[in-house]
Amino acid sequence: MRNIKSGKTRNRLCLAFLLAIILSLAITGCGLFPSADQNKENEIRLRIQLDLKEDIGLLVIDASYDGIETSGGISNVDKTMLKKDELLDWTIDKQFYENANDTGHLKLRFRVVTEYCDPNYENIYPEELVVLLEPIEFEAAFGETYQITITGSHAEGYQATLEEP
């Protein structure tokens, strides 16, 4: 005759062990999906730290990779302002740069739109709300992450700086 109490204990231990395995797989993502900190080989990732004196409406990013130009921007879907100390992520995908080398010259020009405006594909906003920053240029490689800090204010002007790795 079998001991019923030890069978229940064994079942509980097995269940606890299975739950621990499931939890650890869920936390690590089973290694199937890259983490937010991992880059895809076909992307240049920009981590843009805002260090501003006030919130802003939008951040427009004009990029030129080996002379091929693209433009886009960052805004909040809920139409709120970007927070003055927010950390923003922006990726540049190789598919938009025909025959791009793995490493090339990247020129970034940021435009701060000081009030929220509905984003548009042309990136055209009222002149009085747009502050153009001096461009930053550097050699960039797909699969890498670059840290950029934007400082300043509407009254004093803004500046973008590439942080050393």
Side-chain angles (χ1 to χ4, degrees):
M1 190 161 157
R2 197 170 99 169
N3 184 343
I4 296 175
K5 189 173 185 179
S6 66
K8 285 183 180 180
T9 303
R10 195 173 328 131
N11 287 342
R12 286 183 184 154
L13 286 174
C14 286
L15 181 60
F17 182 71
L18 286 172
L19 287 174
I21 289 173
I22 291 169
L23 181 61
S24 69
L25 289 174
I27 290 171
T28 62
C30 301
L32 297 175
F33 302 103
S35 74
D37 291 334
Q38 291 178 326
N39 276 2
K40 294 179 182 175
E41 289 181 19
N42 63 343
E43 291 179 342
I44 295 171
R45 183 175 182 199
L46 304 177
R47 296 197 56 138
I48 305 165
Q49 180 65 61
L50 299 181
D51 186 12
L52 307 173
K53 292 188 178 175
E54 69 271 327
D55 296 344
I56 61 173
L58 301 123
L59 183 63
V60 178
I61 304 165
D62 301 314
S64 173
Y65 187 81
D66 283 343
I68 301 170
E69 297 183 6
T70 59
S71 185
I74 300 172
S75 66
N76 285 328
V77 173
D78 63 2
K79 298 184 178 190
T80 59
M81 303 282 274
L82 296 172
K83 300 297 177 204
K84 63 184 178 181
D85 59 353
E86 199 162 342
L87 178 62
L88 307 170
D89 278 315
W90 182 261
T91 56
I92 297 171
D93 197 312
K94 195 174 188 177
Q95 73 177 348
F96 298 112
Y97 296 87
E98 189 175 312
N99 301 319
N101 295 320
D102 289 338
T103 302
H105 185 78
L106 180 61
K107 179 179 180 180
L108 299 170
R109 177 163 286 189
F110 297 95
R111 291 183 273 158
V112 171
V113 181
T114 58
E115 294 179 19
Y116 183 84
C117 297
D118 286 326
N120 60 71
Y121 287 109
E122 297 82 27
N123 283 327
I124 298 172
Y125 302 98
E127 247 181 73
E128 65 274 10
L129 300 180
V130 178
V131 180
L132 182 64
L133 284 67
E134 288 295 319
I136 56 176
E137 300 182 49
F138 56 97
E139 292 301 307
F142 285 96
E144 295 296 324
T145 298
Y146 299 93
Q147 308 288 330
I148 295 170
T149 302
I150 298 178
T151 57
S153 68
H154 188 193
E156 299 167 4
Y158 299 98
Q159 180 178 0
T161 306
L162 176 67
E163 303 298 328
E164 294 299 319

